[in-house]
Amino acid sequence: MNEKFFDLKKEKQDRMINAGLQLFAVNGYRNTSTDEIVAGAQISKGLLFHYFNSKAGYYSFLYDYITRYALLELNTRIKPGKHDFFELERDFLRAETALMDQYPSYLLFLDSVRLEQDKEALSSLNQPEQTVFAFYAAREAESDYSAYLRMDSRDTFCSVLGYVKAGIMREVIRDKARGSAEYQRRMGAVLDSFQRLAASL
Amino acid sequence: MNEKFFDLKKEKQDRMINAGLQLFAVNGYRNTSTDEIVAGAQISKGLLFHYFNSKAGYYSFLYDYITRYALLELNTRIKPGKHDFFELERDFLRAETALMDQYPSYLLFLDSVRLEQDKEALSSLNQPEQTVFAFYAAREAESDYSAYLRMDSRDTFCSVLGYVKAGIMREVIRDKARGSAEYQRRMGAVLDSFQRLAASL
Amino acid sequence: MNEKFFDLKKEKQDRMINAGLQLFAVNGYRNTSTDEIVAGAQISKGLLFHYFNSKAGYYSFLYDYITRYALLELNTRIKPGKHDFFELERDFLRAETALMDQYPSYLLFLDSVRLEQDKEALSSLNQPEQTVFAFYAAREAESDYSAYLRMDSRDTFCSVLGYVKAGIMREVIRDKARGSAEYQRRMGAVLDSFQRLAASL
Amino acid sequence: MNEKFFDLKKEKQDRMINAGLQLFAVNGYRNTSTDEIVAGAQISKGLLFHYFNSKAGYYSFLYDYITRYALLELNTRIKPGKHDFFELERDFLRAETALMDQYPSYLLFLDSVRLEQDKEALSSLNQPEQTVFAFYAAREAESDYSAYLRMDSRDTFCSVLGYVKAGIMREVIRDKARGSAEYQRRMGAVLDSFQRLAASL
DNA sequence: TATGAATGAGCTTTCATTCAT
DNA sequence: CATGAATGAAAGCTCATTCAT
């Protein structure tokens, strides 16, 4: 189905990807009309359906594509093995920042998928081999936490970090701040703060 | 306009309030149809518009009502003055739990309003005198933080707590767990954990 | 059905009659909602239907009532018998002016009924024993036209007068001029003008 | 917006124009449902809104279109300059008849617009550069009236003619007579009659 | 008699999807 | 491959009418 899509000129592909990421991320699935999408991507109505069959098919494609793309980047930057826990989190932060530079709405889109409530949208999604969030969990699980044992459960702490990450990201993008830099600054500060706390004798 | 509404039998009022809180919280503004609302509230289509003029008017009413109701409860339970910071947070948690027992979707609704992206929905809302979240901030600002100075900024820590609260809440309600109890348990654990950490000499 | 209506206080009757005459005349049948009617008449929704069963029944009642009322007035003022044609027309004009003073929208309503296009409205109307317009035709037919034979057909001329009357009336009421006086002035001028023309040697 | 419309096959354009002219003219704006329109034009519901955005937009379009079309025809047939007054009126009559052959409801529609009372309909209309009725007034003003000075005011007489024209037209179309021919016959007779009267020494 | 809350059919409008070109 | 005209189901909303009080 979607293979045909990759025969298009890269520039057109990118227009079609970015239009969807941005619109779905900002407005949600239901509030994004196919009219808006084709206007944003500067293509005709028919073409959207030619390549993706349906709005839901397009949504699903974007999710697959961006998941794969992000995992490629993450795998390249963050090799398996024992990392110091906070070093690892800072690697994540760097990778996220780099990805945001390429696909500005990347994180907001992935987060909006988690918050998506539309049944049609949700049931269109393929379970990916590995989600971006599963990748995080895997690396965090094998990381070296021994210096921070005063924070009882690593799992609890990771989920706390996850909530904070999602919260900051949402605010950053809502405020239309210069995305990646602002996000990096605020999340970096939280990591510093926690590390100091957890490491104090 | 809405005064007429309060002449209805309390039981009918509650059906009409809960149906909206629950549906808007779970599906968002746009994905909630007036058909679903009237089915949920067990009223006719016309009646919804008789009392609220429009879907947006109904949405706005729910926000006003629940904001007022929650502030009443919070003001009753949590008096101004110096509280120990973590004692205060536990008071909040108790109040939230009580409110969830009355209006199960209360918190999720208020949070969904913050995440709402639909222009029609947003522009329908009246700015309340005080938001629920402003109440939290005011009490936290005057609380006694002196025992926990090892956590550098109170503001940062409060926002961290806020993100965690929202994250847990969303998961709890998504999983359709027995709302208030599960929420209380998990959030309570996080508070305990942080307090131990911040208070350790 | 409508007898009950006449047991009401005269003042309330008049409110209910005038509200309808005015609203139907200005907005037409379909564009006049029962909400507007009851607001205009200062009665409750239920009462309208109590007395008239339906919107169409109310419309029909107004037509009957005002037809009867106008014919009473016309019969009182304009006795059968030979009148000079233009004298007769001036008698009509005086009667119309008097009726407009009592029921300002009277003429506009009767005219709007002629222009009414709504099927529901039209099929609700009872054929009255005699219409106001038939009364005119009858008197005109027996009037003395001998002084004005230079105007070939009396019928044609009468219909010309009718068209002019309707046209002036519509403009007068549309312009919200002080109804009856303005109407009397303009229609009087036309009669004078025609009489001079038709009577010139 | 409406440019797209003119790319359609002429035959389809005409179906869409005539359906509206006829329905609005006969039933008025409010009593004409979009269901009736699309049934009359033999198109789908969506298409009407694809081309005209709203019912009011469609109404406005019809008014613009038919005004422009009629003025084109009138300008072609009736050149500026001194015409004998009654000759001019007969030219008008011929032009009207021709236009009625093309767009049978043309005159009734334009007249119904003048009588229209619906706010939505009225506020949708663009003020045209020149109305059809203004064209009439301009030609009549410059015509040669010197042979008919016994009719005091040309203005009064023109408005009388206008009322008569509207009245006849309405009856002709109401009776579903063979429109243009019947209209031509009756209006012609009135013109003849008045000319004889006004010209008699 | 009088009220107005309640109903639901019907209206205008939106929008994902199809298909002839 | 590409277009955008065309479709119709479903949405939000209106309003004549009913009925419990």
Side-chain angles (χ1 to χ4, degrees), chain D residues 130-149:
Chain D
Q130 187 185 25
T131 67
V132 168
F133 301 110
F135 179 92
Y136 278 66
R139 287 294 175 282
E140 286 170 337
E142 68 190 18
S143 68
D144 180 6
Y145 198 67
S146 58
Y148 314 110
L149 293 177

Side-chain angles (χ1 to χ4, degrees), chain A residues 83-130:
Chain A
H83 301 259
D84 171 84
F85 182 83
F86 277 96
E87 283 316 306
L88 173 67
E89 291 296 337
R90 287 203 182 82
D91 285 345
F92 280 143
L93 185 52
R94 271 188 288 273
E96 287 158 8
T97 308
L99 281 161
M100 281 179 87
D101 283 334
Q102 279 253 8
Y103 287 103
S105 306
Y106 142 72
L107 271 170
L108 187 52
F109 174 77
L110 273 186
D111 193 53
S112 76
V113 171
R114 294 171 88 183
L115 299 173
E116 186 54 64
Q117 295 149 326
D118 188 85
K119 280 160 201 164
E120 183 181 300
L122 292 177
S123 67
S124 79
L125 296 177
N126 301 316
Q127 204 65 17
E129 279 179 55
Q130 186 184 23

Side-chain angles (χ1 to χ4, degrees), chain D:
Chain D
M1 169 70 8
N2 300 149
E3 307 82 54
K4 294 184 295 181
F5 174 77
F6 294 110
D7 295 339
L8 289 173
K9 272 175 287 177
K10 186 77 177 81
E11 186 265 335
K12 193 168 194 172
Q13 284 181 39
D14 276 347
R15 262 190 290 136
M16 291 176 81
I17 289 169
N18 275 316
L21 288 181
Q22 134 94 353
L23 286 164
F24 284 131
V26 172
N27 301 324
Y29 180 78
R30 187 66 132 57
N31 282 307
T32 301
S33 73
T34 53
D35 276 338
E36 289 175 286
I37 295 166
V38 302
Q42 299 173 74
I43 56 170
S44 74
K45 199 75 155 295
L47 200 56
L48 183 68
F49 289 87
H50 180 65
Y51 284 114
F52 304 112
N53 280 335
S54 66
K55 183 181 168 181
Y58 175 56
Y59 187 72
S60 167
F61 166 79
L62 288 178
Y63 180 66
D64 287 351
Y65 178 84
I66 215 64
T67 293
R68 224 165 274 158
Y69 186 91
L71 285 176
L72 204 64
E73 184 77 15
L74 288 168
N75 272 305
T76 306
R77 288 171 167 271
I78 306 177
K79 296 301 176 195
K82 250 200 161 36
H83 301 258
D84 172 83
F85 182 83
F86 277 96
E87 284 315 307
L88 174 66
E89 292 295 337
R90 286 202 184 81
D91 284 345
F92 280 142
L93 185 51
R94 270 187 289 273
E96 288 157 9
T97 308
L99 282 160
M100 281 179 88
D101 282 334
Q102 280 252 9
Y103 289 104
S105 307
Y106 142 72
L107 271 171
L108 187 52
F109 174 78
L110 274 185
D111 193 54
S112 77
V113 171
R114 294 170 88 182
L115 300 174
E116 186 55 64
Q117 296 148 325
D118 187 87
K119 278 160 203 166
E120 183 180 301
L122 291 178
S123 68
S124 78
L125 296 178
N126 302 316
Q127 204 66 16
E129 277 180 57
Q130 187 185 25
T131 67
V132 168
F133 301 110
F135 179 92
Y136 278 66
R139 287 294 175 282
E140 286 170 337
E142 68 190 18
S143 68
D144 180 6
Y145 198 67
S146 58
Y148 314 110
L149 293 177
R150 300 181 54 253
M151 248 158 187
D152 16 37
S153 150
R154 173 168 28 197
D155 281 359
T156 301
F157 188 62
C158 284
S159 68
V160 163
L161 274 187
Y163 298 143
V164 173
K165 201 173 275 190
I168 291 181
M169 194 171 62
R170 222 170 298 139
E171 288 176 5
V172 162
I173 302 192
R174 175 136 318 165
D175 300 347
K176 313 238 179 209
R178 297 136 310 113
S180 68
E182 173 70 3
Y183 172 72
Q184 190 170 28
R185 197 187 58 68
R186 290 177 55 181
M187 193 59 209
V190 169
L191 284 177
D192 291 347
S193 175
F194 274 126
Q195 185 173 19
R196 235 176 301 122
L197 195 60
S200 59
L201 73 127

Side-chain angles (χ1 to χ4, degrees), chain A residues 150 152 174 196 200, chain B residues 114 150 152 174 196 200:
Chain A
R150 298 179 58 252
D152 16 37
R174 176 138 315 168
R196 235 177 299 120
S200 60
Chain B
R114 294 170 89 183
R150 301 180 55 251
D152 18 36
R174 175 138 317 165
R196 234 177 302 120
S200 58

